[in-house]
Amino acid sequence: LACRELRRLKYRRIGLYLEQRNDEVTDHNYLAGFLLYLESVPAADRVRPVLVPRYQAPAFKRWFKKARPDAVISSTRQIVDWAREIGVRSPEEFGFVHLDHHERLPECAGINHNSELIGEGVIDLIVAQIHRGETGIPRHAMTTVVEGQWVPGQSVAAMTAALLSLAERAAQG
C-alpha cells in the first residue's frame, strides 16, 4: 500500500529501511511485500531493502548516501532527522512513510493498521470459541486480516518536475 501510494505521487526510487524485529513480528510481510513491489518497477528504480538489528544514525546515513532513495518507508520517524543532518529535507528532497502511523505522528504520511479493529476481531474470535465450547489451542490456525489504510501527511508531497529532475540527478551519482 505504501509503495503504491508513493508511486501514485510519482516517487520512483523507494527504499525500505527497517529494524529486523519489525519485519519478524509481521511474519516477514513487510519485506515480502516490498520485494514483490521491486519486481514491478524498472531496474533503475530499485533500491535494495535494508533490515538492521537496531536503528542507528551512522548506518542509516551511509545507506541513504549510497542508495539515494527519493522516498523511505520505515517504522521510525528519526529517519527524517538523520536525513536532515546530512542536508536532505523531507518532503522537499525525499518522502517519508511511517509503517505504524498513529495520532502522535500527525506530520507523517503512513499506514494506519487499525489496531482497534484488530482488537475487536480478537475478541469476536474468543467469544465465538466460547460459544462453540472450544478450549485449548485450536487444531487449525486461523488468520483474520484487517486492511491497513493510507494516511496522507506532510512527509510526502507529489513529485513535481523539478523534484523528479533532482531525484534523477541524485540517482545518477
Side-chain angles (χ1 to χ4, degrees), residues 89-156:
R89 297 171 303 152
S90 171
E92 296 85 357
E93 297 168 279
F94 85 102
F96 172 72
V97 173
H98 199 289
L99 277 175
D100 190 16
H101 191 275
H102 48 79
E103 65 278 348
R104 293 184 315 274
L105 295 168
E107 76 284 1
C108 291
I111 305 299
N112 176 349
H113 290 281
N114 295 307
S115 299
E116 301 82 21
L117 292 176
I118 293 170
E120 290 173 12
V122 169
I123 292 169
D124 288 346
L125 287 172
I126 292 170
V127 169
Q129 287 175 317
I130 291 169
H131 284 294
R132 291 190 301 265
E134 297 175 5
T135 59
I137 298 172
R139 207 184 286 153
H140 303 285
M142 291 177 50
T143 302
T144 301
V145 176
V146 176
E147 293 289 328
Q149 292 176 307
W150 173 254
V151 179
Q154 299 169 1
S155 62
V156 298

Side-chain angles (χ1 to χ4, degrees), residues 14-31:
I14 300 168
L16 176 69
Y17 194 85
L18 198 58
E19 273 188 340
Q20 291 170 343
R21 68 181 175 84
N22 290 106
D23 187 53
E24 289 167 1
V25 299
T26 66
D27 203 21
H28 305 285
N29 283 314
Y30 285 147
L31 181 59

Side-chain angles (χ1 to χ4, degrees), residues 12-87:
R12 292 171 48 186
R13 293 185 47 76
I14 300 168
L16 176 69
Y17 194 85
L18 198 58
E19 273 188 340
Q20 291 170 343
R21 68 181 175 84
N22 290 106
D23 187 53
E24 289 167 1
V25 299
T26 66
D27 203 21
H28 305 285
N29 283 314
Y30 285 147
L31 181 59
F34 190 77
L35 291 173
L36 284 171
Y37 154 75
L38 286 181
E39 291 298 314
S40 72
V41 299
D45 291 347
R46 294 179 188 159
V47 176
R48 182 176 160 83
V50 175
L51 297 179
V52 295
R54 279 190 13 200
Y55 288 125
Q56 295 179 324
F60 170 77
K61 291 174 184 179
R62 281 191 304 275
W63 171 78
F64 193 92
K65 288 177 185 178
K66 183 178 180 185
R68 301 182 114 19
D70 58 21
V72 177
I73 300 169
S74 187
S75 62
T76 181
R77 195 216 168 281
Q78 287 179 298
I79 281 176
V80 174
D81 300 327
W82 295 339
R84 188 178 308 117
E85 290 171 9
I86 58 174

